[in-house]
Amino acid sequence: MALRKDVRVDAAPAVAFRHATLADREDLLGRIMLTPALVYVIVLVGLPFALAILLSFSAASAGSLALSWVGVENFATIIRDSQFQRAVLNTVFFTVTSQILVTVMAVAAANVLDAAFAGKRAMRFLILLPWAAPVSLASMAWTWIFDSTFSVINWTLKVFGLLEGWLYWFGDPALAMIAIISVHVWRTFPFATVIVLAGMAAIPQDINEAALIDGASFWRKLFQVNLPLLLPIVTVSVLFGVVFTSTDLSIVWLLTRGGPYNSTHVLSSLAFQRGIMGADLGQGAAIALFLLPVLVIVATVMLRMARRAEVGV
Amino acid sequence: MGYVETRNLHKHFGEVEAVNGVNLSVEEGELVVLLGPSGCGKTTLMRMIAGLEKPTSGEIYIAGERVDEDVPPRARGVAMVFQSYALYPHKMAGDNIAFPLEAVGMARLAIREAVARAAGMFGITHLLRRFPLQLSGGERQRVALARAVVRSPKVFLFDEPLSNLDAKLRATARFELKQFQREIGTTTIYVTHDQVEAMGLGDRIAVMNKGQVHQIGTPQDVYDDPADTFVATFIGSPPMNLIEHDAGTLVGFRPENFLPRQIFGAQDDVVTYRFRVRRVEYLGSDRFLYGVLEERQRSDQTVIADLPVTITTPIAEGEAYEFAVPCRAQRQFDARTGKTGKRKTDGAA
Ligand SMILES: Nc1ncnc2c1ncn2[C@@H]1O[C@H](COP(=O)(O)OP(=O)(O)OP(=O)(O)O)[C@@H](O)[C@H]1O
Ligand SMILES: [Mg+2]
């Protein structure tokens, strides 16, 4: 009797095993599902990246892809180039300024959107709209807004008597940079807002209520309770923003093409101009890669900060 | 007028009537426990008093001042300890306790003194430089209490502050809490669904069900003289036995008053029942007997007797015995409304 019982106990797992389908084969399934991502990363990110590094050490041009090794010559040339120096400064200024503006606006918008009021859903939709709008389309609208003859900003300022003379937005380097930053902020702050909103949703309701009962005013609650708790996620959002902004080409290219007199170039627009339009692939690659080490350091530091802030929680 | 008073207070969440006409009056310095089953509206009632929830209708007064219309939480002078403690996770224990004082703009030196005093009161002085995550449940609870007392509020609101502690710690914490509340004499409203906690802590207990207060009274009142069948069966473990008497009346008696007839003297004023025991449970200090009353219309209704170990009468499962209840321990309820009638003292069964 006992023996037969043993046999039946043993049989049970065997039966279960026969019914195991693909869905239960975690090892196999994992590999299958990872494959597309892996292919994507290797073919569309890894290879171009390796190629860019290779190109930056060569004298390749669009005409001849012969990878004649020239060492660091490309880097040496661009570092002495005043346009390049300007582009580095522009990139840093563009990135830092727009990220400060985006972060402040995103935190403010998230706080507004978190409050209960009529039309909240519509408001959320409207705030998200710039993010969803195609950048080329949006740039066309903005080109008109900043147009040298038809600028609505100028007209409005005039009507209210705040402007004497006329602002040539894309004719003046400082105004052009202001325009570029405005459009970029307009375009990227919705996403930052969404991230901050998600972070706020993760703060327990009773912590906010405790702060209310403890007598904290709106600002004290914001600066002493909510912002510190948001810090990890805001750091991540800023990190995204920094990487995205410092490598972004579209806004500058669509609005000013680096003008006037190549004064508003950022590194990626300059790399595009030199490498693709100017056909000097080697130099273009060197310019594009110039910020990489900086970005790696910035990313590492910020991720560390985010982790440290989280440990405190 | 009570120090904290609600008048005909209602709170409806859509269809749900979370609080449904509560009149509560808490005297100054008193500790009133809100006791009721889960979902009966205790937290909602407390949140309305704190100002975190706006009443659908009704009035709330704190220290004679009407607060329900436009007095924000911070101006009500209430301190609340949340069930989750709601400590600020990014602040050290000391900064958590200091927070309410910083909010009223107290000078830094005075804050440090006040924090030290509050921490000393709860024996957490050595924990002030730790983050909440680095504290045990009991320690967090103390920090939360210290944060609540530090600015001397008019009213304490406690929402099940002990429910996250293990049973042993809970008993000690309950004792300390009571001690502490007696000492500083701050008016306190304490929410719990644990009746042992309620009986042990409350000067008075407000028994709630389905958004309404069924009875307010001292622990002894609600235990000995429940206002209706809900209170009778909710308070006490095992609950009061309710048996159908004549038409329209329910008779109630507590299991510990339902004892073998021979325990009582021959001249004692008792009501006797024939009790058929179906099951016996030994619980160390007590014996629980489950059975039915014979000669009753609804004889399948389970009746419980709770015999202390001092009563050694042998009881066998399946046998019937003469049991009795002292007349003064019997209560009568209207079968239809559940409300209590006059005490049954006439001695007739
Ligand atoms: N914000 C809300 N929206 C809708 N319904 C709610 C809300 N808050 C509470 N309720 C409902 O109101 C009723 C009372 O809830 P409440 O939290 O006051 O109960 P409670 O007595 O504190 O229960 P517990 O002992 O489980 O904490 C419940 O039925 C609950 O589902
Ligand atoms: Mg509750």
Side-chain angles (χ1 to χ4, degrees):
Chain A
M1 272 314 256
L3 202 69
R4 268 175 64 188
K5 247 185 200 162
D6 279 355
V7 168
R8 279 178 56 193
V9 168
D10 267 15
V15 170
F17 194 73
R18 230 189 306 126
H19 285 280
T21 57
L22 188 59
D24 299 309
R25 299 285 310 274
E26 286 186 10
D27 48 341
L28 206 65
L29 214 57
R31 270 175 225 171
I32 293 173
M33 288 177 137
L34 269 181
T35 307
L38 218 59
V39 168
Y40 168 83
V41 167
I42 291 173
V43 174
L44 293 175
V45 180
L47 284 182
F49 183 62
L51 202 59
I53 293 178
L54 216 58
L55 283 172
S56 68
F57 292 105
S58 78
S61 69
S64 72
L65 260 178
L67 295 173
S68 48
W69 184 262
V70 294
V72 295
E73 195 189 299
N74 283 326
F75 291 95
T77 316
I78 56 166
I79 282 175
R80 285 191 303 271
D81 184 334
S82 67
Q83 259 186 44
F84 172 78
Q85 291 164 3
R86 176 98 196 223
V88 172
L89 290 180
N90 279 346
T91 306
V92 172
F93 181 75
F94 173 50
T95 305
V96 171
T97 314
S98 61
Q99 279 318 294
I100 291 175
L101 289 174
V102 163
T103 306
V104 171
M105 285 173 65
V107 169
N111 268 286
V112 170
L113 290 182
D114 197 46
F117 60 90
K120 179 162 140 173
R121 276 166 170 270
M123 193 72 182
R124 282 196 182 197
F125 175 73
L126 283 179
I127 282 201
L128 269 180
L129 212 49
W131 187 51
V135 62
S136 52
L137 202 68
S139 293
M140 273 169 69
W142 281 100
T143 329
W144 279 103
I145 289 172
F146 291 121
D147 188 87
S148 53
T149 328
F150 304 108
S151 167
V152 285
I153 300 175
N154 289 359
W155 281 109
T156 315
L157 290 175
K158 275 265 184 210
V159 167
F160 286 103
L162 295 167
L163 179 67
E164 299 195 4
W166 196 250
L167 297 174
Y168 295 95
W169 287 96
F170 296 137
D172 177 272
L175 288 179
M177 187 47 89
I178 291 177
I180 288 171
I181 290 176
S182 317
V183 178
H184 188 68
V185 167
W186 171 83
R187 184 162 77 108
T188 51
F189 109 92
F191 185 62
T193 308
V194 171
I195 293 188
V196 176
L197 262 179
M200 288 179 50
I203 298 177
Q205 181 65 25
D206 52 10
I207 295 222
N208 272 303
E209 292 179 344
L212 275 183
I213 289 185
D214 282 345
S217 62
F218 173 79
W219 295 109
R220 179 175 294 276
K221 194 154 85 68
L222 181 65
F223 283 107
Q224 293 224 356
V225 178
N226 281 330
L227 285 188
L229 290 175
L230 282 175
L231 194 63
I233 201 158
V234 167
T235 311
V236 171
S237 152
V238 170
L239 177 60
F240 266 51
V242 165
V243 172
F244 182 70
T245 308
S246 60
T247 57
D248 184 56
L249 160 77
S250 45
I251 298 282
V252 171
W253 198 257
L254 290 168
L255 283 181
T256 68
R257 305 217 157 209
Y261 344 109
N262 291 321
S263 63
T264 57
H265 266 305
V266 290
L267 285 174
S268 39
S269 66
L270 190 65
F272 186 68
Q273 192 178 48
R274 292 279 172 86
I276 308 297
M277 312 300 280
D280 190 341
L281 287 181
Q283 232 186 56
I287 295 171
L289 283 175
F290 187 79
L291 264 192
L292 183 70
V294 181
L295 284 182
V296 169
I297 293 171
V298 169
T300 314
V301 168
M302 293 187 90
L303 283 179
R304 283 250 170 91
M305 270 170 54
R307 189 150 339 126
R308 177 136 357 124
E310 227 157 351
V311 168
V313 168
Chain B
M1 177 193 265
Y3 196 68
V4 177
E5 191 161 322
T6 73
R7 291 195 192 149
N8 200 19
L9 202 60
H10 285 263
K11 178 70 188 183
H12 300 175
F13 297 106
E15 295 285 285
V16 183
E17 300 182 343
V19 169
N20 201 358
V22 166
N23 296 292
L24 185 70
S25 179
V26 181
E27 299 305 320
E28 187 161 9
E30 191 182 25
L31 195 162
V32 166
V33 174
L34 301 180
L35 174 67
S38 192
C40 72
K42 308 180 293 289
T43 298
T44 308
L45 175 56
M46 174 166 281
R47 286 169 58 82
M48 283 193 282
I49 295 172
L52 295 174
E53 208 86 67
K54 201 168 165 44
T56 308
S57 66
E59 298 159 25
I60 302 171
Y61 297 84
I62 295 176
E65 185 196 356
R66 179 150 183 200
V67 294
D68 56 277
E69 301 215 288
D70 50 5
V71 182
R74 60 197 177 111
R76 294 192 183 191
V78 300
M80 187 157 167
V81 174
F82 292 74
Q83 183 169 353
S84 62
Y85 306 140
L87 296 176
Y88 308 116
H90 58 293
K91 287 177 184 288
M92 290 187 288
D95 296 330
N96 261 281
I97 301 171
F99 189 78
L101 299 179
E102 286 166 3
V104 294
M106 190 186 267
R108 191 170 297 184
L109 206 66
I111 289 184
R112 207 177 307 157
E113 274 174 22
V115 169
R117 200 165 344 109
M121 203 186 288
F122 293 100
I124 49 170
T125 310
H126 59 295
L127 302 174
L128 291 182
R129 299 191 59 77
R130 291 218 210 145
F131 287 102
L133 216 64
Q134 302 166 324
L135 298 172
S136 74
E139 290 164 344
R140 274 179 224 173
Q141 182 236 350
R142 279 147 205 273
V143 175
L145 286 171
R147 181 176 70 180
V149 306
V150 74
R151 71 195 156 113
S152 320
K154 292 181 196 155
V155 181
F156 284 138
L157 302 175
F158 292 132
D159 194 357
E160 311 204 20
L162 306 183
S163 61
N164 285 336
L165 307 182
D166 65 52
K168 205 169 156 194
L169 196 54
R170 202 175 336 182
T172 347
R174 185 166 69 226
F175 173 76
E176 285 171 7
L177 202 74
K178 175 95 192 170
Q179 202 74 347
F180 153 78
Q181 196 268 340
R182 283 251 171 86
E183 262 164 47
I184 63 170
T186 303
T187 311
T188 302
I189 300 177
Y190 187 105
V191 164
T192 182
H193 60 245
D194 177 349
Q195 46 166 309
V196 179
E197 205 165 290
M199 300 295 259
L201 268 177
D203 294 323
R204 285 191 300 156
I205 298 176
V207 185
M208 288 185 71
N209 189 34
K210 295 189 179 150
Q212 289 177 326
V213 173
H214 281 234
Q215 185 175 7
I216 307 182
T218 63
Q220 181 143 28
D221 279 346
V222 294
Y223 189 82
D224 289 346
D225 291 306
D228 56 24
T229 48
F230 172 76
V231 180
T233 48
F234 186 72
I235 307 260
S237 169
M240 184 179 264
N241 293 307
L242 287 179
I243 54 169
E244 211 164 293
H245 192 238
D246 41 48
T249 323
L250 293 173
V251 169
F253 50 85
R254 298 233 167 250
E256 67 269 23
N257 292 324
F258 188 49
L259 302 172
R261 176 66 186 85
Q262 63 268 34
I263 299 296
F264 303 100
Q267 73 282 18
D268 277 0
D269 211 2
V270 297
V271 190
T272 18
Y273 297 95
R274 195 155 174 79
F275 181 45
R276 183 165 293 279
V277 179
R278 291 217 168 129
R279 199 154 61 80
V280 181
E281 257 178 27
Y282 291 95
L283 294 170
S285 61
D286 290 64
R287 252 190 307 176
F288 284 176
L289 314 179
Y290 299 83
V292 291
L293 300 185
E294 296 191 333
E295 313 143 14
R296 289 271 146 202
Q297 292 122 319
R298 290 174 54 198
S299 59
D300 57 334
Q301 194 186 359
T302 301
V303 170
I304 307 173
D306 174 357
L307 272 52
V309 273
T310 46
I311 298 177
T312 51
T313 321
I315 305 279
E317 288 181 4
E319 296 296 315
Y321 301 91
E322 292 284 302
F323 267 56
V325 182
C327 290
R328 52 173 174 76
Q330 278 210 148
R331 302 289 174 266
Q332 278 194 344
F333 301 95
D334 187 305
R336 202 171 42 79
T337 63
K339 295 261 189 296
T340 186
K342 64 172 174 56
R343 272 199 211 182
K344 191 171 175 73
T345 49
D346 48 51

